[in-house]
Amino acid sequence: MSDAESMMHGGFVSALDLPDVPSSKLPHHLDLRRTRVLCNSVAPDNTDTVQYSGAYASMGVDNSLRLDDFRNNFKVNVNRLTADEMEFDMVGVDPSLANAFRRILLAELPTMAIEKVFIANNTSVIQDEVLAHRLGLVPIIVDPRHFDYLSENDRPNEKNTIVFKLHVRCKKGDPRGTVKSDELRWLPKGSEFLKESGASASNTKAETYTSFNFSQDSMPEFSDNPIGVSPGIIVAKLAPGQEIELEAHAVKGIGKTHAKWSPVATCWYRMLPEVVLNEDIKGDMAEELVKKCPASVFDIEELANGKKRATVARPRACTLCRECVRDDEWERRISLCRVKDHFIFTIESVGALPPEVLFTEAVKILEDKCERVISDLS
Amino acid sequence: MEHASFGDERNATFCITEEDHTLANSLRFALNQDPRVMFCGYSIPHPSDAKVNIRVQTTGEPAREVLKDSCQDLMLMCQHVRGSFDKAIAEFKRNNSSRNYGRNPIAKEDNTNRKLSEAKDCLSKQLHTLPKFNNHNQNRQ
């Protein structure tokens, strides 16, 4: 029975099945709500994302994500890349994924940081515990992938511990001195402090606080680039006659345990701002609009007849301060939006790894998490 | 790991330990995009416990298989993200190979130069407005 026949017989045919209704396409106003956050003068509107695959089923639109579609739509564009900072655009990805990458970068990527400090002498005004805390926050410039975690029962060895020595003194008669992180000396052979317990019992070789099997500088990755720390950080100040002598042991850890292990100074993303002029803004009004915007998003273009018209020249500079839509009549003229699936991602590394490596490592960690769930389920 | 199935394979709650919003929210996204899923959601019962509960209700398939497929999808998405990212980085490095962005970044210097010139602009603007302000005061007097 054809459709026409079924209609004649009182059967039901959805309007969407009629040939002149375009299928698999959302009407414009719904598509706008799906893809844009609207920044009205009162508050941002429509901030949620529609994830459910059947959200638009009644309109005959499939909201599910096919992997091929994802592959076709996903784009990365690098805007800026230096040794310790990068900015890139990530397009065609859900906020939940972008946020997962950000969270992993902040809290779940391992680095090395000073965890134990053995203080032999500290006559400075900085208390031992404060000094130890300050040392812990000094970034160590080393690839953490060369090291293992130190678990509770492990002896500290060359695969899980980096030892630094700090011995500074301010002589009597000298001016007050500043101790900077540069003075931390790497000890590739491990600890030099002897353990005190049972010295008489063993007359074999004296035991130190680490048990290195071989020197770290014989390892190929460190033989020609010694492990150092981020230079120029003030650790303590010394008055004449004061002295600090200590040993600092760095181990591998993640930012979730303590922020000192976080490999990024910070890492954030923002959605791409979109500024649309709903009508032509000309003459004095154009001048007014350019003046309104503190981020200088707008420019004036000269028209052929000597008139002026406002244009959106730098939408990326928009901070969504909403200064331009504060007045009622202006809110009509300008729409401020954010594109929901376009993220401007910035990573500031503290130096252990370059930012582009940090991001790939973060994605790998999310993959590992999925793999763990799969193996747990099967 | 799985609990509250009670013989009905279509509906299940999965408890994943040592995970938080990072994985659970991404998984919820992946699950929601699967047409076989009728409902899914997650909760963290207590902030001190490192565990999440993920609820999956399907239209007929076993929930366990759907969750597994979603994990697989998420993994493939990640792999694609990583692949495209590496490609974009390689391309950027190729296009900017004249610049040394290694351990001694020139790009960073450019940045400071830009900031300097911005500061100069800002200062000159302020100087520009200053005499106007004085004139104004004089006029009033």
Side-chain angles (χ1 to χ4, degrees):
Chain A
M1 203 191 300
S2 73
D3 284 354
E5 276 176 77
S6 73
M7 265 153 91
M8 270 160 57
H9 288 91
F12 174 74
V13 173
S14 164
L16 293 165
D17 292 339
L18 296 175
D20 53 344
V21 175
S23 59
S24 74
K25 209 147 183 231
L26 275 181
H28 175 71
H29 68 286
L30 281 182
D31 204 44
L32 191 76
R33 294 202 146 256
R34 192 176 66 85
T35 57
R36 301 288 189 274
V37 178
L38 309 174
C39 300
N40 307 324
S41 65
V42 181
D45 186 18
N46 189 34
T47 50
D48 57 337
T49 45
V50 182
Q51 289 185 339
Y52 177 48
S53 60
Y56 303 113
S58 62
M59 319 203 64
V61 176
D62 181 16
N63 193 41
S64 69
L65 184 79
R66 309 264 174 242
L67 221 55
D68 290 335
D69 291 344
F70 177 78
R71 290 203 177 105
N72 292 334
N73 294 331
F74 183 76
K75 276 184 197 72
V76 176
N77 184 35
V78 181
N79 304 327
R80 195 169 75 239
L81 174 64
T82 64
D84 51 11
E85 198 193 339
M86 79 177 295
E87 187 191 276
F88 62 96
D89 282 23
M90 195 161 59
V91 193
V93 73
D94 192 79
S96 59
L97 274 176
N99 195 38
F101 298 145
R102 184 192 63 89
R103 286 172 64 98
I104 291 172
L105 276 163
L106 284 167
E108 296 187 46
L109 266 183
T111 54
M112 304 295 285
I114 290 168
E115 168 71 349
K116 275 205 172 79
V117 178
F118 299 83
I119 296 180
N121 188 14
N122 176 17
T123 54
S124 76
V125 287
I126 317 282
Q127 297 92 326
D128 291 358
E129 65 274 23
V130 178
L131 183 62
H133 177 246
R134 291 182 70 81
L135 285 168
L137 296 172
V138 173
I140 294 169
I141 313 299
V142 63
D143 191 338
R145 289 172 292 185
H146 297 313
F147 291 91
D148 302 329
Y149 288 99
L150 174 69
S151 51
E152 232 168 272
N153 312 321
D154 278 352
R155 290 275 298 143
N157 63 26
E158 73 284 346
K159 283 303 286 173
N160 56 31
T161 308
I162 305 172
V163 183
F164 292 96
K165 180 174 117 175
L166 181 70
H167 192 183
V168 281
R169 184 187 297 138
C170 185
K171 268 188 254 142
K172 282 205 170 133
D174 281 5
R176 271 171 295 182
T178 303
V179 185
K180 292 205 171 164
S181 57
D182 314 50
E183 316 235 15
L184 283 165
R185 290 272 159 272
W186 176 41
L187 297 180
K189 292 187 180 63
S191 174
E192 288 172 349
F193 286 174
L194 299 179
K195 267 191 177 168
E196 285 168 3
S197 59
S200 57
S202 64
N203 41 12
T204 53
K205 71 169 184 184
E207 214 182 342
T208 66
Y209 284 91
T210 55
S211 42
F212 278 26
N213 296 319
F214 52 86
S215 172
Q216 278 170 336
D217 53 11
S218 66
M219 288 155 88
E221 52 268 25
F222 306 128
S223 55
D224 49 358
N225 64 333
I227 301 171
V229 299
S230 202
I233 300 167
I234 297 174
V235 174
K237 297 230 172 185
L238 294 180
Q242 295 182 343
E243 183 181 1
I244 293 175
E245 184 183 3
L246 58 82
E247 224 176 64
H249 292 206
V251 299
K252 194 174 178 175
I254 56 170
K256 212 191 253 179
T257 323
H258 191 290
K260 68 184 174 186
W261 278 298
S262 186
V264 289
T266 186
C267 164
W268 77 94
Y269 58 75
R270 61 194 187 106
M271 285 180 278
L272 179 77
E274 194 181 59
V275 184
V276 181
L277 301 177
N278 296 332
E279 55 186 71
D280 274 1
I281 295 173
K282 289 179 182 163
D284 290 346
M285 276 203 335
E287 302 271 4
E288 191 189 338
L289 179 61
V290 171
K291 246 183 238 158
K292 266 175 188 280
C293 181
S296 62
V297 167
F298 304 101
D299 256 352
I300 290 179
E301 78 181 345
E302 306 276 340
L303 295 179
N305 49 8
K307 283 184 177 172
K308 289 170 178 175
R309 186 169 65 184
T311 55
V312 184
R314 288 167 291 272
R316 256 170 195 270
C318 181
T319 58
L320 294 188
C321 64
R322 292 177 280 168
E323 200 58 35
C324 54
V325 292
R326 217 156 67 145
D327 300 328
D328 277 347
E329 73 262 30
W330 279 98
E331 194 170 5
R332 270 189 299 111
R333 295 180 192 133
I334 305 166
S335 313
L336 295 180
C337 308
R338 301 211 128 177
V339 184
K340 274 182 192 170
D341 68 345
H342 187 136
F343 298 95
I344 304 171
F345 215 102
T346 314
I347 302 172
E348 284 178 16
S349 163
V350 293
L353 288 173
E356 72 271 22
V357 177
L358 285 177
F359 186 78
T360 38
E361 289 296 310
V363 180
K364 267 186 213 161
I365 286 181
L366 189 59
E367 279 171 45
D368 291 346
K369 283 173 183 287
C370 296
E371 208 171 285
R372 205 201 107 201
V373 174
I374 292 174
S375 66
D376 278 7
L377 283 171
S378 19
Chain B
M1 179 184 186
E2 185 180 357
H3 55 90
S5 294
F6 298 119
D8 180 6
E9 285 196 323
R10 292 175 303 171
N11 310 324
T13 304
F14 302 89
C15 179
I16 306 175
T17 52
E18 304 300 321
E19 291 296 351
D20 56 7
H21 298 281
T22 307
L23 181 72
N25 197 17
S26 324
L27 258 184
R28 183 183 61 172
F29 157 69
L31 279 162
N32 261 325
Q33 293 288 330
D34 191 325
R36 293 172 299 176
V37 173
M38 265 207 317
F39 169 82
C40 83
Y42 79 93
S43 76
I44 294 178
H46 194 280
S48 306
D49 294 342
K51 66 172 188 186
V52 284
N53 290 337
I54 298 182
R55 177 71 177 170
V56 184
Q57 294 177 201
T58 71
T59 52
E61 297 261 322
R64 167 182 286 265
E65 296 306 316
V66 173
L67 181 61
K68 242 200 271 184
D69 288 351
S70 292
C71 285
Q72 195 73 40
D73 280 355
L74 191 58
M75 230 163 92
L76 290 171
M77 274 190 250
C78 284
Q79 275 165 14
H80 183 72
V81 168
R82 197 147 54 89
S84 339
F85 181 80
D86 288 345
K87 239 184 256 167
I89 288 287
E91 198 184 305
F92 183 86
K93 285 187 175 173
R94 207 171 39 243
N95 294 340
N96 296 271
S97 52
S98 55
R99 276 183 169 185
N100 178 15
Y101 45 79
R103 282 285 158 194
N104 299 314
I106 294 174
K108 217 177 172 183
E109 274 173 32
D110 289 349
N111 201 16
T112 53
N113 280 343
R114 205 196 67 219
K115 275 184 186 161
L116 248 168
S117 67
E118 271 172 17
K120 270 185 196 163
D121 283 348
C122 188
L123 208 69
S124 68
K125 264 182 207 161
Q126 278 174 3
L127 285 175
H128 210 67
T129 55
L130 213 60
K132 266 188 211 161
F133 185 63
N134 288 343
N135 287 343
H136 184 61
N137 278 356
Q138 277 161 11
N139 289 346
R140 280 181 93 183
Q141 282 162 5

